[in-house]
Amino acid sequence: GRSRLEGDPDLQFLLKGGDLLKVLSPSWKKTRYFRLQEDCKTMWRESKKTFKKNDTFSLDDISAVQMGRQSEGLKKNTEEQVEDRCFSIVFKSRRKNLDLISSSEEEGKQWVKSLQKVVSNLNNLSRKQKTEHWIFSCLRKADKNKDENLSPSEVKSFMHLINIEVDDEYVEMLFKKCDRSQSGTLAGEEIKHFYDLLTQRDEIDVIYEEYAKTTGFMSAQNLVDFLLKEQREKATLADAHRIIETYEPDENAKEKKLLSKDGFLMYLNHPDAMILNPDHKDVYQDMSQPLNHYFISSSHNTYLMEDQLKGPSSTEAYIRALQKGCRCVELDCWDGSDNEPVIYHGYTLTSKILFKDVIKAISEHAFKTSQYPVILSLENHCSVEQQEVMARHMSSILGSALITSPLGDGMPTNFPSPEELKGKFLIKGKRLNKLEDTFAEAAADDTDVTEEEESNDEDMQKEKNTKKKLTLAKELSDMVIYLKSVHFHGFEDAQKNLSFYEMASFKEGKAMKLAEESANAYVRHNVEKFSRIYPAGSRTDSSNYNPVPLWNAGCQIVALNFQTPCTDMDMNQGRFLVNGKSGYILKPAFMRDVATEFDPITLTRGDWLKHKTLHVMVISAQQLPKVNQKKSSIVDPLVKVEIYGVPADVAERETEPFDNNGFNPSWNENFQFDVYVPELALVRFSIEDYDSSSDNDFVGQYTIPFNSLKMGYRHVPLFNKNGDLLPSAGLFVHIMVLDAE
């Protein structure tokens, strides 16, 4: 069960390995021997320190392998002439990049090509193959004396590796069952049998047997019945044949157009058959509405990797946020030396990065995850001279992708749509005047103003301008078109005096207060204008706040610290999981109407109110990772199901903990929730390791928009606390959504 690459020259190259120069600083470059271990999924690195054990990392953890001096470390610590020999490994987790130099350009290319091939092969393994992969690499680890036979004690350590606490009697029983040759060890087929007993899914057998009405197999018609009745899917015989063709591993069954139990399990484990509606994975919403009719994935202090008192600033942090689908990034700009503006968290010990390097990194990575526009939110603390430098950098690096004038002819009356702004950058910042003035000036050239009026006017203008001029460079001001920052003086004032493109930023506390006390006014304000929300300055640990109440009030740009893993970021990942991870989610129709009566707090009953009931049965989980690496700790998992949405919908239920089993715990517990505003609701499934004496440990979670749930028996993938997928773990549930009476 190793991989489809058996015997592949690139795989052989990695298994043999070789010396590479590891780069940490301009002076620290040391040779280390790297090679791929026999399990074909762990890289091994020899360490020269006597007591330090050799380092390993999993290929699963690699997010990209980049040729050349692309990473910050290589740019800073190496000379240009080694460009062709350099490459870096970027990790999904918070592990630092690995910057490496090979002995020749040829060898460097070979490393990059081989790593990319093996990593992409790993990513393409279906979940079922991954499970096998995982089991066999564990089997090899448990086989201490490498004789390819497992003794009872090796079996016990094997069970432990796959996260099941078993007493000796149980090992003995399973062992006797499998040791048909009575040799006292397990080999070959016997290990396979042992594995089969371990991967047994009784709950799926029960479902399968209910529908397998054709000589113990499922026919295409049986499968259609299952899809219609249980999964609530409009399925035809043609669909059933396609599923059998795609997922049935047993050729004989496939020929007879039958689905075996293995094929059925493979199908249920496929992402398209999981809990997320596959029609919602790609862009499925109308993207031609005005820009402010969307929720936009937004980041705060984007330049920080950790916290905002002393953490490092890095262009890497911008790349990470953009890769996660973030569409609004923040740039805190300050005067730097040599007339080069820098970005950092002012008046603190966070490190500084060059403004131009950040713009370059953004330009390079902005549209890889999503094609839709990126907003550059400028926090400008620079002198006028350095603001001019900022304007020059943006204009030369971003070029025609930067919006510097309205899209149509004449003064716009509304925002363009995400569709019209694909591949474009918008600047949010202060402006010296109203956008209307630039059009008025052009028209005013034809009209004569009497001297007296003019001078009078001018004096006032001068007075106003000198105050403003000190603070803002015209070049930069002119780049602000659709997102002009202004102060907020109440909803009435905004309605009367602000143009559509003039927007306020609210500190979280102020915004929460408005969202509670004037919810309907806030919703209406956001039909015509933009609102940006940002975390309180007191959060020096870069912690976050709950974005949901602000989305409920129609706020579009709810900025979170992407660098801080927490439930609030899980909400953000869940909200923007759908619509092609484009970072734009269309607001519900009742939040895009100027006269809307919608009030998330009092829930004024309008015809938009479609009350639903959600029934969830938490059935089982598979292969939950160990939380504590302490040798003896096996998880006691419990499952929480939570609804986030308007206050009336917020709810939480949890199962009993299941003792000492992370491999295949089962609960079979039923929960019911009333959901009044499904369009704004998010459902969060989380698994915790129960601890009676202290806080439970987090194991994994998955958050999904209520309207993207699929019904029936569904697997739920799980993300770790950083928001990366846990490769083999999952939750199995049954979902039913009914219209409430």
Side-chain angles (χ1 to χ4, degrees):
R2 276 245 301 244
S3 112
R4 294 170 307 178
L5 292 178
E6 209 76 62
D8 178 276
D10 289 319
L11 183 65
Q12 296 311 318
F13 170 80
L14 292 176
L15 286 165
K16 196 167 119 241
D19 280 336
L20 289 167
L21 209 54
K22 182 181 173 208
V23 180
L24 277 186
S25 74
S27 55
W28 198 102
K29 300 188 177 73
K30 306 239 161 113
T31 306
R32 293 286 180 260
Y33 191 82
F34 285 84
R35 70 174 165 78
L36 181 64
Q37 293 186 320
E38 290 69 54
D39 66 358
C40 295
K41 55 176 293 185
T42 313
M43 283 298 288
W44 175 89
R45 178 179 101 218
E46 134 209 73
S47 172
K48 288 280 195 291
K49 291 195 183 124
T50 339
F51 297 112
K52 195 171 174 243
K53 65 172 186 8
N54 291 317
D55 205 3
T56 63
F57 59 86
S58 166
L59 294 184
D60 258 333
D61 206 22
I62 294 181
S63 115
V65 185
Q66 302 179 326
M67 193 72 214
R69 295 164 64 246
Q70 287 197 46
S71 73
E72 241 170 77
L74 284 170
K75 279 187 196 139
K76 202 165 66 196
N77 302 323
T78 62
E79 302 300 320
E80 246 164 66
Q81 60 263 36
V82 296
E83 173 80 46
D84 298 336
R85 291 163 38 202
C86 288
F87 66 97
S88 45
I89 298 176
V90 186
F91 295 97
K92 292 177 191 162
S93 60
R94 316 184 114 211
R95 187 187 180 113
K96 273 214 174 74
N97 283 358
L98 201 47
D99 292 328
L100 302 162
I101 305 179
S102 57
S103 56
S104 70
E105 177 179 353
E106 195 128 337
E107 196 188 333
K109 285 202 172 115
Q110 176 71 61
W111 274 104
V112 172
K113 177 171 157 253
S114 307
L115 281 166
Q116 284 174 340
K117 183 192 268 187
V118 178
V119 168
S120 97
N121 182 57
L122 251 184
N123 290 341
N124 291 338
L125 287 179
S126 70
R127 274 179 67 130
K128 172 78 175 175
Q129 280 173 299
K130 269 211 166 134
T131 313
E132 259 181 8
H133 218 111
W134 183 85
I135 288 284
F136 282 112
S137 78
C138 280
L139 272 169
R140 277 192 294 281
K141 269 193 219 153
D143 178 13
K144 296 268 195 298
N145 58 3
K146 304 281 181 257
D147 60 357
E148 292 191 4
N149 283 356
L150 292 189
S151 67
S153 73
E154 285 176 328
V155 164
K156 197 163 159 39
S157 78
F158 174 58
M159 295 293 270
H160 202 93
L161 269 171
I162 54 184
N163 209 354
I164 298 185
E165 195 72 271
V166 270
D167 56 46
D168 296 344
E169 279 170 68
Y170 188 51
V171 170
E172 248 167 69
M173 186 190 78
L174 263 185
F175 203 92
K176 286 207 178 85
K177 247 191 196 161
C178 298
D179 182 14
R180 302 219 178 95
S181 59
Q182 300 193 333
S183 60
T185 61
L186 301 185
E189 274 309 299
E190 297 172 336
I191 295 178
K192 172 84 175 75
H193 183 212
F194 191 81
Y195 163 67
D196 285 341
L197 291 177
L198 282 179
T199 53
Q200 208 168 346
R201 294 280 305 271
D202 297 345
E203 71 278 36
I204 286 183
D205 295 352
V206 172
I207 305 163
Y208 180 77
E209 273 142 29
E210 178 142 342
Y211 287 91
K213 300 277 192 268
T214 316
T215 61
F217 284 88
M218 261 190 189
S219 66
Q221 186 53 55
N222 298 156
L223 179 54
V224 168
D225 295 343
F226 166 76
L227 293 171
L228 290 173
K229 199 173 146 211
E230 301 293 345
Q231 310 297 78
R232 303 294 169 111
E233 292 190 28
K234 299 180 180 72
T236 61
L237 272 173
D239 296 325
H241 285 140
R242 189 182 47 80
I243 289 171
I244 293 170
E245 191 48 49
T246 313
Y247 302 101
E248 180 48 62
D250 177 348
E251 290 304 325
N252 297 333
K254 190 188 279 193
E255 230 160 75
K256 300 186 178 111
K257 300 223 183 321
L258 297 172
L259 191 64
S260 70
K261 206 186 306 190
D262 278 341
F264 183 61
L265 180 59
M266 280 193 168
Y267 168 62
L268 285 182
N269 262 325
H270 189 271
D272 281 351
M274 288 191 188
I275 192 160
L276 174 64
N277 182 344
D279 298 341
H280 289 190
K281 277 187 188 168
D282 296 326
V283 174
Y284 73 99
Q285 295 181 329
D286 173 5
M287 300 304 276
S288 62
Q289 299 286 324
L291 198 66
N292 70 322
H293 285 187
Y294 298 81
F295 296 123
I296 302 175
S297 180
S298 306
S299 138
H300 174 248
N301 289 353
T302 316
Y303 45 87
L304 291 184
M305 297 287 272
E306 288 157 27
D307 70 53
Q308 52 200 58
L309 283 185
K310 54 184 189 318
S313 308
S314 163
T315 56
E316 208 67 41
Y318 283 91
I319 298 171
R320 276 186 198 182
L322 291 166
Q323 278 177 340
K324 286 183 175 167
C326 176
R327 297 288 87 189
C328 177
V329 295
E330 187 183 14
L331 297 90
D332 255 355
C333 312
W334 300 79
D335 279 357
S337 45
D338 306 328
N339 207 22
E340 278 295 348
V342 291
I343 288 185
Y344 78 111
H345 201 61
Y347 309 117
T348 59
L349 301 173
T350 60
S351 57
K352 301 176 180 181
I353 40 183
L354 291 179
F355 177 79
K356 64 174 177 192
D357 287 349
V358 170
I359 298 296
K360 275 185 198 142
I362 291 174
S363 165
E364 229 166 279
H365 295 269
F367 303 113
K368 286 187 176 167
T369 300
S370 162
Q371 285 298 299
Y372 291 98
V374 167
I375 297 168
L376 306 178
S377 182
L378 299 183
E379 286 285 315
N380 186 350
H381 309 276
C382 292
S383 61
V384 175
E385 293 76 46
Q386 296 212 7
Q387 290 179 37
E388 287 165 5
V389 177
M390 284 166 60
R392 279 204 299 280
H393 283 323
M394 288 196 288
S395 148
S396 67
I397 296 167
L398 304 176
S400 62
L402 182 63
I403 296 282
T404 53
S405 60
L407 291 195
D409 293 331
M411 177 63 203
T413 53
N414 203 346
F415 296 98
S417 69
E419 195 55 48
E420 293 172 280
L421 292 167
K422 264 188 170 172
K424 301 289 189 198
F425 293 95
L426 299 169
I427 292 179
K428 173 196 161 303
K430 296 197 174 74
R431 238 191 104 92
L432 288 168
N433 57 357
K434 281 211 164 210
L435 192 56
E436 286 83 341
D437 300 348
T438 51
F439 290 95
E441 274 161 28
D445 287 347
D446 312 331
T447 59
D448 286 327
V449 187
T450 61
E451 285 236 336
E452 195 187 3
E453 276 181 352
E454 204 168 73
S455 65
N456 227 340
D457 230 33
E458 230 167 69
D459 277 352
M460 284 182 59
Q461 270 314 109
K462 261 204 192 99
E463 219 174 288
K464 261 168 111 174
N465 277 359
T466 37
K467 259 172 80 186
K468 280 192 180 167
K469 267 211 177 92
L470 290 173
T471 54
L472 198 52
K474 184 175 184 319
E475 292 88 328
L476 196 58
S477 162
D478 287 349
M479 289 181 165
V480 175
I481 307 295
Y482 289 112
L483 300 164
K484 174 187 169 184
S485 307
V486 296
H487 288 297
F488 179 73
H489 302 294
F491 295 124
E492 241 173 282
D493 171 78
Q495 179 70 38
K496 272 216 303 274
N497 302 319
L498 296 185
S499 301
F500 76 92
Y501 59 85
E502 296 185 294
M503 62 173 290
S505 286
F506 303 84
K507 199 172 274 181
E508 67 176 90
K510 165 100 171 154
M512 289 285 190
K513 203 167 143 66
L514 290 171
E516 273 165 39
E517 293 168 13
S518 345
N520 177 256
Y522 215 168
V523 171
R524 287 185 177 198
H525 173 83
N526 288 322
V527 173
E528 301 183 282
K529 312 256 183 343
F530 256 111
S531 291
R532 173 176 173 268
I533 320 297
Y534 59 97
S538 56
R539 297 180 179 271
T540 48
D541 56 353
S542 289
S543 59
N544 280 307
Y545 54 98
N546 179 1
V548 175
L550 301 158
W551 289 328
N552 293 345
C555 300
Q556 303 87 345
I557 300 180
V558 181
L560 296 173
N561 291 305
F562 268 57
Q563 69 278 19
T564 310
C566 57
T567 309
D568 310 307
M569 269 311 292
D570 296 345
M571 290 301 113
N572 203 69
Q573 186 180 20
R575 167 70 73 217
F576 295 102
L577 184 68
V578 295
N579 208 30
K581 294 196 178 152
S582 61
Y584 284 84
I585 297 291
L586 185 62
K587 295 202 263 183
F590 55 80
M591 302 182 87
R592 307 198 306 266
D593 164 14
V594 195
T596 182
E597 292 296 311
F598 174 65
D599 184 315
I601 309 295
T602 59
L603 285 192
T604 336
R605 283 187 176 279
D607 51 8
W608 49 265
L609 198 63
K610 299 181 183 54
H611 177 190
K612 306 260 187 208
T613 315
L614 168 67
H615 297 266
V616 179
M617 183 183 190
V618 176
I619 304 173
S620 62
Q622 295 75 46
Q623 295 181 37
L624 301 175
K626 270 191 204 168
V627 198
N628 261 324
Q629 286 312 315
K630 290 205 247 4
K631 254 319 213 213
S632 62
S633 64
I634 297 286
V635 281
D636 301 326
L638 64 82
V639 179
K640 272 189 185 168
V641 184
E642 300 164 274
I643 309 286
Y644 286 79
V646 299
D649 289 345
V650 174
E652 173 183 326
R653 301 287 304 275
E654 66 180 52
T655 65
E656 289 295 314
F658 193 98
D659 286 346
N660 269 352
N661 180 346
F663 186 71
N664 56 1
S666 63
W667 296 273
N668 298 318
E669 291 190 44
N670 288 294
F671 303 134
Q672 183 182 329
F673 302 92
D674 286 313
V675 179
Y676 291 93
V677 189
E679 296 89 341
L680 291 172
L682 295 165
V683 184
R684 181 174 192 255
F685 299 91
S686 59
I687 300 188
E688 295 180 356
D689 179 7
Y690 173 73
D691 190 326
S692 54
S693 57
S694 66
D695 285 349
N696 295 346
D697 281 320
F698 172 87
V699 178
Q701 72 86 31
Y702 188 73
T703 305
I704 178 173
F706 182 92
N707 280 345
S708 298
L709 289 169
K710 289 287 271 185
M711 289 198 258
Y713 290 102
R714 302 287 173 181
H715 281 110
V716 181
L718 293 170
F719 293 113
N720 66 13
K721 67 173 195 305
N722 288 327
D724 298 316
L725 200 63
L726 293 168
S728 309
L731 180 63
F732 189 56
V733 298
H734 184 271
I735 299 284
M736 190 50 72
V737 177
L738 299 170
D739 288 325
E741 269 69 80

